[in-house]
Amino acid sequence: SCPGCFYIEGGIMKKICIDPGHGGRDPGAVSGNVKEKDINLAIAQKLQLLLYNKGYNVIMTREKDIDIGLYQRANIANNFKADIFVSIHNNAFNNELAQGTETLCFSGSLQGEKLANLVQTELVKRLKRPDRGIKSRSDLVVLRYTTMPAILVECAFLTNPVERKLLKINSFQLLAAEGIAEGIDRYFREVE
């Protein structure tokens, strides 16, 4: 056993699948010289380390800049038998004034909604960006085809000049990771 590990009753370690959105030939949103895929991976790697240090069993859908399909991402989580799935993204809009943090969950998933609410609360607390709330979606592959509570986090807007500048900063990426990690911690504490 490891000191400070996070176990549930019965001593089973919680399993988390982290999905850094986009990658490889798919850059995601691109604004200025910033590609969403790179920011997503940077935040996801920080989150992976935080969760690992808390004693969680963590798998990533990608650990570097590679192509990986949406159904493949869902399959990785399902085959790992993850307790939760967290996809990391950053937003874009054709109006550069759009800003803030939002979290998506699968329509009708009560546990997904609970996880989304807790992560959103902790993210907004740390990032201090406008709270765009949680949104239910049934059309996103990674939320629809995962068999566990799943969320997709949109940390901030790459198309907003202020937020784009923040997203490039290591300490801001770490705040995002810390917010997500704390939301996950709260979710498992409250679910048990």
Side-chain angles (χ1 to χ4, degrees), residues 160-175:
N160 178 283
V162 173
E163 294 190 344
R164 179 170 62 247
K165 193 177 283 185
L166 287 170
L167 283 166
K168 289 161 63 175
I169 301 170
N170 196 54
S171 58
F172 188 81
Q173 295 170 2
L174 184 59
L175 284 174

Side-chain angles (χ1 to χ4, degrees), residues 82-123:
D83 292 293
I84 61 169
F85 174 90
V86 179
S87 192
I88 310 290
H89 285 259
N90 282 282
N91 232 327
F93 195 62
N94 56 19
N95 180 346
E96 67 172 28
L97 296 177
Q99 60 177 327
T101 302
E102 65 188 42
T103 304
L104 314 178
C105 60
F106 187 69
S107 302
S109 166
L110 293 177
Q111 290 305 320
E113 194 176 311
K114 179 171 190 166
L115 176 60
N117 262 312
L118 292 166
V119 167
Q120 176 72 10
T121 298
E122 295 300 330
L123 260 178

Side-chain angles (χ1 to χ4, degrees), residues 19 69-75 78 85 87 106 137-147 150 152:
D19 173 43
L70 295 173
Y71 292 95
Q72 199 180 344
R73 294 168 193 263
N75 287 338
N78 295 341
F85 174 90
S87 192
F106 187 69
R137 294 280 294 269
S138 54
D139 58 327
L140 300 175
V141 168
V142 293
L143 300 183
R144 187 182 189 116
Y145 291 97
T146 40
T147 55
L152 188 152

Side-chain angles (χ1 to χ4, degrees), residues 175-189:
L175 284 174
E178 286 170 352
I180 297 165
E182 181 58 28
I184 289 169
D185 253 357
R186 284 186 59 193
Y187 172 79
F188 285 123
R189 284 201 301 270

